[in-house]
Amino acid sequence: MERNIGSGAAGQPDPNRDQLVELIRRLADPALVAVAPHWRRDPGKPDRLRQLLGDGLRAIVGCLARRRRVVLMGEGLRAASGPAVIRRDPGIRALLAALGARNPVLAVPSCAASMDRFCAAIGLDPADEVEVLLSANAALTLTGRANGCAVIGHVAIGDHGLASLRRHRTGLARARAARLPAAVEILLPRPVVSPDPDRVFLQTRLPGRPMTDLPLTEERLADCLDAAATPLWHLHDHGAAAGALPDLAGLRQMLLTIPEQLPRHARDLAGRAAGRAAAWLARRAMHAVAVHGDYWPANILVGDDLRPRGLVDWEWFRPRGLPGYDALYLLVTTLAHARGAPLARVMRQIWIEEERGTAFRGVHRRIARRTGFSAGDMGCLGLVLWLAVIRRTVIDTRSPGDHWLPAFLADTAPAVEAFLRTREAAPAGDAVA
């Protein structure tokens, strides 16, 4: 769940700006692009409005007259992400509409020739409109059509983007080859050939809408969580029937190499947590299940009846992972999204029972019942999840960790520390249970 758009600090790399630069480069020569001044949409400050209507609007109209492309950016790209629509000839009315949006990020009018070049470079059918999603990830996400089929694509930005694309392509290929149960297999997208496979990854667009688009009120949380977890129980039952063991060697290696890659202030706690989790994996018998790895509401496409219609983003797929991992991640990310809370503040409920609400408690018990895990087992599974979130955000992706990690640790470290002390003080036979 690497979507901390608003948490950037001054001087940190800005993935959104990199994405804009890359998109402009693909659309046209930089000399043919005009950037309107940054501005804040604040009715209480008429000077800002005069500046916008003066310099900003004059620049836009002047560029349109010279058939140049125009980029409109809201104040602080870290504080706003959203769709960027590229049209052949949007006209002044569409540009003014973009100015009136709450968080204008990007609007690019494009002539037919540049639109055709852009579509050809990506592998899309020539289109009148292509939508590009700006986020903190290391790749542009765009939608369009290829060979008459609705597709979603990822365009790599820099080295981190290339690594992300490789993980996406490899993960989806492994998932499609893993002989998943039919009820889950029909939810997977299909890869689509692109002209630049090293930098562009296309896949079929699935029906439904992201669960993050739903109003996840407290009254609907239980139903949404139940529906979203259904594919996970199919994977759990499938894994139990197969009887294979998790990839313990790979998991232990991943866990034990995390501390050495972290800042000094985080190494001790992460090292102790990794050691405890690795010891638990060695002593707790369990069957393997296929693990999506990033099973949170944005990657679950649902219909009006809340039933999953598609599962996307298989970048972190593991064919022999831990039972309950995806379900626990679904629980904490759904509650964090629904309540607008930092993920860390929800995650600590894994170890602090007194903080659990009704929704958390019900799903947490269901996971334990399905997996046969004790309370100690669930705490150790939480350690694996905690370390995986740190690894993905600080190590495996481009998000800088020096501003994110302290805040994450401030909310979670006391709960992790208390759980570790409890395990260390437990009787020998229960020390890693």
Side-chain angles (χ1 to χ4, degrees):
M1 188 179 175
E2 183 214 338
R3 283 90 181 161
N4 301 312
I5 305 295
S7 60
Q12 296 297 335
D14 191 332
N16 285 320
R17 291 186 185 279
D18 293 344
Q19 293 176 351
L20 286 171
V21 170
E22 174 68 10
L23 180 60
I24 292 169
R25 186 188 68 77
R26 286 181 173 272
L27 277 171
D29 295 331
L32 298 179
V33 179
V35 179
H38 284 217
W39 61 282
R40 181 191 301 274
R41 187 171 182 262
D42 187 348
K45 295 187 177 180
D47 289 343
R48 286 278 188 177
L49 183 60
R50 279 198 293 271
Q51 177 188 344
L52 171 65
L53 294 178
D55 298 340
L57 193 57
R58 276 200 297 271
I60 294 168
V61 173
C63 289
L64 283 176
R66 292 190 294 274
R67 293 182 174 275
R68 291 185 178 181
R69 289 75 174 156
V70 181
V71 178
L72 306 179
M73 291 183 289
E75 189 254 342
L77 288 175
R78 285 193 176 281
S81 66
V85 179
I86 307 166
R87 297 186 178 91
R88 288 184 186 275
D89 185 16
I92 191 66
R93 190 168 297 177
L95 291 173
L96 292 176
L99 285 172
R102 180 180 178 185
N103 284 320
V105 180
L106 180 68
V108 183
S110 181
C111 70
S114 65
M115 177 64 82
D116 289 345
R117 287 198 304 272
F118 179 70
C119 289
I122 302 300
L124 303 177
D125 298 339
D128 289 328
E129 182 174 306
V130 175
E131 184 176 274
V132 179
L133 180 67
L134 301 177
S135 71
N137 295 329
L140 288 166
T141 301
L142 52 85
T143 60
R145 301 186 72 82
N147 299 321
C149 177
V151 298
I152 184 167
H154 301 281
V155 182
I157 308 296
D159 291 340
H160 289 279
L162 292 172
S164 176
L165 244 65
R166 285 193 293 269
R167 289 194 299 265
H168 274 91
R169 184 180 293 109
T170 302
L172 180 58
R174 286 176 177 168
R176 293 188 62 84
R179 297 183 180 179
L180 302 178
V184 178
E185 191 172 5
I186 61 174
L187 303 177
L188 272 66
R190 290 182 292 103
V192 176
V193 177
S194 68
D196 187 1
D198 291 334
R199 295 188 60 85
V200 179
F201 176 51
L202 299 178
Q203 53 192 313
T204 53
R205 209 181 329 164
L206 299 170
R209 55 177 174 158
M211 208 168 112
T212 45
D213 289 353
L214 300 177
L216 297 179
T217 60
E218 291 295 322
E219 294 75 18
R220 300 188 72 188
L221 267 177
D223 291 339
C224 290
L225 282 165
D226 281 345
T230 300
L232 301 181
W233 307 140
H234 288 305
L235 291 175
H236 180 274
D237 295 341
H238 181 74
L245 297 176
D247 177 16
L248 298 183
L251 285 168
R252 283 197 297 268
Q253 178 66 20
M254 178 193 74
L255 294 172
L256 295 175
T257 56
I258 292 176
E260 64 190 38
Q261 301 180 66
L262 294 180
R264 184 178 300 276
H265 68 276
R267 287 178 192 168
D268 177 65
L269 182 60
R272 289 167 56 214
R276 177 62 56 186
W280 172 67
L281 291 171
R283 297 182 59 174
R284 181 61 163 92
M286 65 187 84
H287 65 267
V289 301
V291 168
H292 178 280
D294 196 13
Y295 201 85
W296 79 293
N299 292 332
I300 305 167
L301 308 182
V302 298
D304 293 337
D305 58 359
L306 300 183
R307 291 174 55 194
R309 296 288 189 268
L311 301 176
V312 298
D313 197 354
W314 292 82
E315 178 181 3
W316 306 100
F317 174 78
R318 296 181 68 90
R320 291 168 53 207
L322 297 180
Y325 178 94
D326 276 340
L328 190 58
Y329 190 54
L330 170 68
L331 171 59
V332 296
T333 53
T334 301
L335 293 183
H337 171 73
R339 295 168 179 170
L343 178 64
R345 291 184 191 169
V346 180
M347 280 192 74
R348 70 186 198 179
Q349 296 176 45
I350 296 172
W351 306 285
I352 305 178
E353 188 172 358
E354 295 78 15
E355 294 189 6
R356 296 174 189 169
T358 302
F360 190 102
R361 190 176 294 111
V363 177
H364 190 265
R365 286 174 178 169
R366 194 170 304 123
I367 297 170
R369 190 166 56 248
R370 282 274 187 169
T371 57
F373 283 173
S374 67
D377 291 327
M378 291 296 293
C380 289
L381 178 64
L383 291 181
V384 177
L385 178 60
W386 182 74
L387 290 164
V389 170
I390 292 175
R391 182 186 184 99
R392 186 180 310 166
T393 306
V394 181
I395 300 170
D396 288 335
T397 68
R398 71 179 301 158
S399 294
D402 53 351
H403 64 275
W404 174 86
L405 188 60
F408 183 78
L409 289 175
D411 276 332
T412 57
V416 172
E417 181 71 55
F419 175 75
L420 291 175
R421 285 199 303 268
T422 301
R423 292 298 94 198
E424 289 161 0
D430 186 51
V432 294

